[in-house]
Amino acid sequence: MIEIAIDGTAASGKGTLGKKLSYKYSFPYLDTGMLYRKVAYEILKNNKINTTKLEQDCCDFAMILSLKELKNTNLRNEDITKLASKIATFPILRKILNDKQKEFNDLNKKKFGGCILDGRDIGTTILPN
């Protein structure tokens, strides 16, 4: 079983490298930052940005988030990016999204023999070995 974790600073080529490795080895690829961006998008779309329960609203959406929702979605505008960075500091949200990443890893190792992930907590929490 192969697990590839890619870490690095913003705009350092993590995504480009991940996609190329995914193509070369036929392993599924997940840009884990897109999970936070999708949650941020939903918060903005539903105008819940200024509520007193922002963290709970984020967690509620994250619980029902499907990784399939990340495909063909433009989640890279400035407002989404800023909010994604802010909500990524919420410990409970991180745990929920980390669990989804671990599920992605476990499923794809069994199904395809490996997977590739880039983003927060990958080398320390999701794929520590």
Side-chain angles (χ1 to χ4, degrees):
M1 306 273 185
I2 295 175
E3 302 169 319
I4 298 174
I6 303 171
D7 198 353
T9 58
S12 62
K14 297 182 304 292
T16 300
L17 177 60
K19 289 172 191 166
K20 286 182 179 181
L21 288 170
S22 174
Y23 178 78
K24 178 177 175 91
Y25 294 108
S26 299
F27 291 154
Y29 164 72
L30 177 62
D31 173 351
T32 63
M34 296 302 281
L35 298 168
Y36 293 93
R37 289 173 181 274
K38 180 64 174 173
V39 172
Y41 167 80
E42 291 296 328
I43 293 298
L44 290 167
K45 181 180 90 171
N46 292 296
N47 201 27
K48 294 188 174 203
I49 184 72
N50 293 317
T51 69
T52 56
K53 52 186 193 111
L54 177 61
E55 185 170 3
Q56 183 61 51
D57 289 338
C58 289
C59 292
D60 290 346
F61 180 75
M63 292 294 290
I64 61 169
L65 175 65
S66 166
L67 298 183
K68 294 176 183 173
E69 295 177 46
L70 303 177
K71 295 195 184 291
N72 303 317
T73 306
N74 183 6
L75 301 173
R76 297 198 181 272
N77 76 40
E78 187 175 342
D79 291 337
I80 292 171
T81 299
K82 284 181 184 177
L83 184 55
S85 291
K86 177 181 178 179
I87 66 174
T89 64
F90 298 159
I92 298 170
L93 178 63
R94 283 179 89 105
K95 166 116 178 56
I96 293 167
L97 295 181
N98 284 350
D99 287 346
K100 288 188 179 288
Q101 294 165 49
K102 289 175 184 176
E103 288 174 25
F104 174 88
N105 178 53
D106 293 344
L107 173 73
N108 289 298
K109 280 193 323 184
K110 289 175 186 163
K111 190 171 181 180
F112 298 101
C115 64
I116 300 163
L117 294 93
D118 87 59
R120 299 174 188 268
D121 302 323
I122 302 305
T124 56
T125 304
I126 310 304
L127 304 175
N129 298 319

